[in-house]
């Protein structure tokens, strides 16, 4: 199409810059699309991090509840054993007035009961130590979050490299157009 410019007799070709404009338009659209993808990926990473933080918080809460329950169970266990021993001791003191053989038998039963209690206490203490070791060996919430953040940064850097490579490829071959872009003449 040829246009006349104000009666000066100078004609211009109106489609002179159409190829450049279409390439610039396509690059602008690609950048906008890539920006939207990057924002969506960032939102997804944030949601993943929030989900992990919530999970860690839930696990911490559950762990505290389990620890408190174990503590209460242990207290109940000790109190029940102590009350049993006290009752046995009272029975023994009453039995002192009776014959010596019955007294020896009850002392022997008490000794067995004390040995069982001592063994139970040792088992509880061992389990308690095992639980403390698991707690100490568990990575902290901060470490987990830092690891997730570092992974997100690596993915973002990889994505930025890919975008830069695409830009570089597009800038080195200006006459070629991206696949699927419209042909303008």
């Amino acid at each position: 199409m040829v246009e006349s410019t104000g009666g000066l007799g100078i004609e211009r070709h109106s489609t002179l810059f159409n190829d450049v404009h279409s390439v610039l338009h396509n690059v602008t659209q690609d950048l906008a699309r890539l920006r939207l993808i990057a924002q969506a990926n960032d939102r997804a990473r944030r949601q993943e991090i929030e989900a992990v933080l919530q999970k860690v918080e839930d696990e911490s809460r559950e762990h505290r509840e389990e620890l408190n329950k174990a503590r209460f169970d242990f207290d109940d266990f000790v109190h029940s054993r102590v009350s049993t021993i006290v009752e046995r001791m009272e029975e023994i003191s009453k039995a002192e007035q009776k014959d010596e053989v019955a007294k020896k038998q009850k002392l022997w039963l008490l000794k067995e009961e004390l040995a069982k209690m001592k063994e139970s206490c040792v088992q509880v203490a061992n389990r308690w130590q095992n639980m403390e070791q698991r707690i100490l060996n568990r990575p902290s919430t901060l470490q987990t979050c830092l690891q997730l953040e570092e992974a997100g940064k690596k993915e973002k850097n990889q994505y930025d490299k890919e975008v830069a490579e695409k830009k570089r490829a597009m800038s080195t071959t200006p006459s070629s157009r991206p696949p699927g872009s419209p042909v303008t003449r």
Side-chain angles (χ1 to χ4, degrees):
M1 168 176 270
V2 178
E3 292 182 359
S4 173
T5 56
L8 296 176
I10 302 171
E11 295 181 355
R12 277 196 228 167
H13 194 274
S14 64
T15 60
L16 177 65
F17 293 105
N18 276 350
D19 286 342
V20 174
H21 286 292
S22 67
V23 168
L24 182 61
H25 178 72
N26 289 339
V27 168
T28 305
Q29 284 181 336
D30 286 345
L31 285 175
R33 184 177 49 80
L34 292 174
R35 185 177 301 118
L36 290 175
I37 290 171
Q39 289 171 348
N41 287 342
D42 285 347
R43 279 192 298 273
R45 292 294 170 252
R46 282 190 207 111
Q47 289 174 352
E48 287 176 5
I49 289 171
E50 288 174 8
V52 168
L53 288 175
Q54 183 64 39
K55 184 178 179 182
V56 168
E57 184 177 312
D58 291 344
E59 286 180 4
S60 295
R61 188 178 333 102
E62 289 175 8
H63 175 70
R64 281 193 303 272
E65 290 172 1
E66 288 177 16
L67 192 61
N68 287 337
K69 184 179 184 276
R71 206 177 276 151
F72 289 133
D73 289 345
F74 179 74
D75 287 345
D76 289 342
F77 172 76
V78 169
H79 287 298
S80 68
R81 290 296 184 152
V82 168
S83 66
T84 307
I85 291 172
V86 168
E87 290 173 5
R88 297 274 174 132
M89 291 176 81
E90 288 175 1
E91 290 174 11
I92 290 173
S93 65
K94 290 178 185 177
E96 282 180 345
Q97 298 168 0
K98 295 182 181 181
D99 63 313
E100 197 66 27
V101 175
K103 182 179 179 183
K104 287 182 182 179
Q105 284 180 341
K106 291 196 182 219
L107 283 173
W108 184 77
L109 289 173
L110 178 62
K111 191 175 183 180
E112 279 185 351
E113 188 73 23
L114 282 173
K116 288 178 184 177
M117 183 177 163
K118 194 184 281 186
E119 183 179 320
S120 296
C121 286
V122 167
Q123 289 176 354
V124 168
N126 287 339
R127 288 182 181 164
W128 196 270
Q129 285 177 342
N130 290 340
M131 187 169 55
E132 284 181 349
Q133 288 300 321
R134 284 197 321 262
I135 291 169
L136 293 175
N137 292 335
R138 183 185 295 178
S140 71
T141 303
L142 178 60
Q143 289 172 336
T144 305
C145 289
L146 290 175
Q147 289 172 353
L148 286 171
E149 186 176 326
E150 188 65 33
K153 285 180 182 178
K154 285 180 182 178
E155 286 183 15
K156 185 179 183 310
N157 288 340
Q158 180 64 29
Y159 177 77
D160 290 343
K161 285 179 184 177
E162 289 174 5
V163 168
E165 288 175 13
K166 285 182 181 178
K167 284 181 183 178
R168 215 176 301 118
M170 288 177 68
S171 67
T172 57
T173 57
S175 63
S176 67
R177 58 179 174 69
S181 64
V183 177
T184 58
R185 293 187 185 192

